[in-house]
Amino acid sequence: MGVEQAPTTKGRKAATELKAAAAKDERKTERAMGKDLAKGAKRFDERSKSSDGKSAGTKQRD
């Protein structure tokens, strides 16, 4: 649920804090890796690869 869709003040605060924590963690990871993490579709493809190196789309076609 996004910050704007939260029905209560407590929910909006929690969503805002979660978003900030995720951004902080992402910056920390990028610094440790020495490069930016992939964003958008590239990130989906990167995360969907399993240990055998095949993407989800490749496995579905096989």
Side-chain angles (χ1 to χ4, degrees), residues 1-18:
M1 180 178 290
V3 175
E4 299 81 27
Q5 291 87 23
T8 64
T9 303
K10 191 175 184 179
R12 284 188 288 278
K13 183 179 181 208
T16 301
E17 290 174 359
L18 178 62

Side-chain angles (χ1 to χ4, degrees), residues 19-54:
K19 190 174 182 179
K24 181 180 177 183
D25 185 56
E26 185 171 307
R27 286 191 302 273
K28 179 181 172 186
T29 302
E30 288 175 341
R31 274 195 310 273
M33 291 176 57
K35 64 177 184 164
D36 288 346
L37 293 172
K39 305 290 190 269
K42 287 182 182 179
R43 186 173 190 146
F44 177 80
D45 289 340
E46 180 181 291
R47 299 291 185 266
S48 67
K49 288 185 181 174
S50 65
S51 59
D52 61 6
K54 294 182 180 178

